[in-house]
């Protein structure tokens, strides 16, 4: 990288590496950067004294040398490993492999795009554990970011508000370590929907960064509890439990200290 940066100042050719040459060095037992120095000297000597005989070397022979050198770099066992561990990971691997027959850069680009799409799918469709009962409990198994707002909203509305009669819901957020403004807007719309139906949406297990964002957003009507049991008792109107409204005057003292830290 540094060589190419400095070389660009004097209009030199970009410096690159060859997979075939690297494979030959590895199979020859090269262990230090001095191998590159020896290779460079041999290349310079060949260019000076052997270029006249290069034209007699068949291209098939050169191809055989490259294939023989690079073949050990291709580990076929990775397919079996991915099949056993996570089969979805085979998709970017196969896409990259097939597109490389067209152009290497296209293969890398296609594999990267497929990997990004798989990542976005997992973020936009977070896994949720749903517990049925008088109070609907949804426990998020991963973080909550803006691509997941619509999926979360759809799941809660479908299972809590579109049933007859509508029922209160508890969103267990112990695995959520941060939220953004889009998530806050989605929660605000959900709270309004629940309020119009005469039921309650409560939050449980809020971590300090999430609580800090909710305090800054100044959402109206947000209730949260320390434990799931407290939330269920309160929503079922059992005596002895009171929710915390999201306001600094009602936040537990130990969390106030963390919020002000």
């Amino acid at each position: 990288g540094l060589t190419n940066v400095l070389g660009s100042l004097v209009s030199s050719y970009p410096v690159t590496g060859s997979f075939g040459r690297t494979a030959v060095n590895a199979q020859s037992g090269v262990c230090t950067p001095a191998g590159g120095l020896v290779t460079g000297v041999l290349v310079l000597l060949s260019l000076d004294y052997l270029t006249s005989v290069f034209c007699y070397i068949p291209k098939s022979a050169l191809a055989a040398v490259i294939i023989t050198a690079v073949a050990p770099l291709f580990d076929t066992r990775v397919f079996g490993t991915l099949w056993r561990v996570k089969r979805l990971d085979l998709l970017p691997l196969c896409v990259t492999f097939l597109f490389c027959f067209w152009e290497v850069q296209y293969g890398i680009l296609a594999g990267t795009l497929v990997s990004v799409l798989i990542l976005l799918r997992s973020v936009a469709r977070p896994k949720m554990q749903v517990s049925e009962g008088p109070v609907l409990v949804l426990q998020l198994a991963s973080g909550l970011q803006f691509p997941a707002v619509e999926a979360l909203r759809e799941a809660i509305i479908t299972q809590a508000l579109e049933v007859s009669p509508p029922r209160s819901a508890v969103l267990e957020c112990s695995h959520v370590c941060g939220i953004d403004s889009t998530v806050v807007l989605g929660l605000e719309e959900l709270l309004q929907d629940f309020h119009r139906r005469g039921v309650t949406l409560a939050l449980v297990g809020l971590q300090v960064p999430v609580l800090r964002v909710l305090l800054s957003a100044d959402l109206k009507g947000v209730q949260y509890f320390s434990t799931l049991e407290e939330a269920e008792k309160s929503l079922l109107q059992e005596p002895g439990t009171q929710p915390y409204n999201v306001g600094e005057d009602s936040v537990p003292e130990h969390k106030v200290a963390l919020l002000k830290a």
Side-chain angles (χ1 to χ4, degrees), residues 67-257:
I67 292 174
T68 303
V70 176
L73 298 178
F74 187 74
D75 187 7
T76 57
R77 294 174 298 179
V78 69
F79 290 94
T81 301
L82 294 179
W83 181 265
R84 293 190 304 270
V85 176
K86 189 176 182 181
R87 297 177 183 178
L88 186 60
D89 289 342
L90 284 171
L91 182 59
L93 174 63
C94 294
V95 169
T96 303
F97 178 74
L98 294 176
F99 272 80
C100 280
F101 285 102
W102 182 14
E103 290 287 348
V104 174
Q105 58 268 30
Y106 294 152
I108 296 174
L109 180 60
T112 302
L113 290 177
V114 172
S115 299
V116 170
L117 291 176
I118 293 175
L119 179 62
L120 288 177
R121 177 182 176 274
S122 63
V123 174
R125 296 289 177 180
K127 293 182 179 180
M128 290 178 286
Q129 182 178 353
V130 180
S131 300
E132 298 287 347
V135 176
L136 179 69
V137 179
L138 291 94
Q139 183 176 13
L140 293 170
S142 59
L144 183 60
Q145 300 297 330
F146 72 92
V149 173
E150 192 61 33
L152 176 64
R153 175 181 170 82
E154 180 181 350
I156 294 178
I157 290 179
T158 301
Q159 301 185 55
L161 300 183
E162 292 184 353
V163 297
S164 182
R167 53 182 174 172
S168 299
V170 177
L171 186 59
E172 212 283 334
C173 304
S174 59
H175 296 293
V176 179
C177 57
I179 59 176
D180 53 27
S181 58
T182 305
V183 176
V184 173
L185 293 176
L187 289 176
E188 184 177 14
E189 293 178 358
L190 277 174
L191 290 170
Q192 294 173 358
D193 292 336
F194 272 78
H195 180 71
R196 285 193 293 266
R197 298 294 184 91
V199 288
T200 304
L201 174 64
L203 306 178
V204 171
L206 293 178
Q207 297 189 26
V208 171
V210 178
L211 186 56
R212 183 181 290 114
V213 173
L214 293 178
L215 285 172
S216 302
D218 194 23
L219 293 181
K220 303 299 181 182
V222 180
Q223 297 182 0
Y224 79 96
F225 298 83
S226 298
T227 64
L228 182 59
E229 291 76 13
E230 291 181 0
E232 291 179 335
K233 289 181 180 179
S234 177
L235 295 181
L236 293 175
Q237 298 182 350
E238 295 184 12
T241 56
Q242 293 294 328
Y244 298 111
N245 294 315
V246 176
E248 192 164 325
D249 55 345
S250 62
V251 176
E253 293 182 0
H254 67 284
K255 289 199 173 183
V256 171

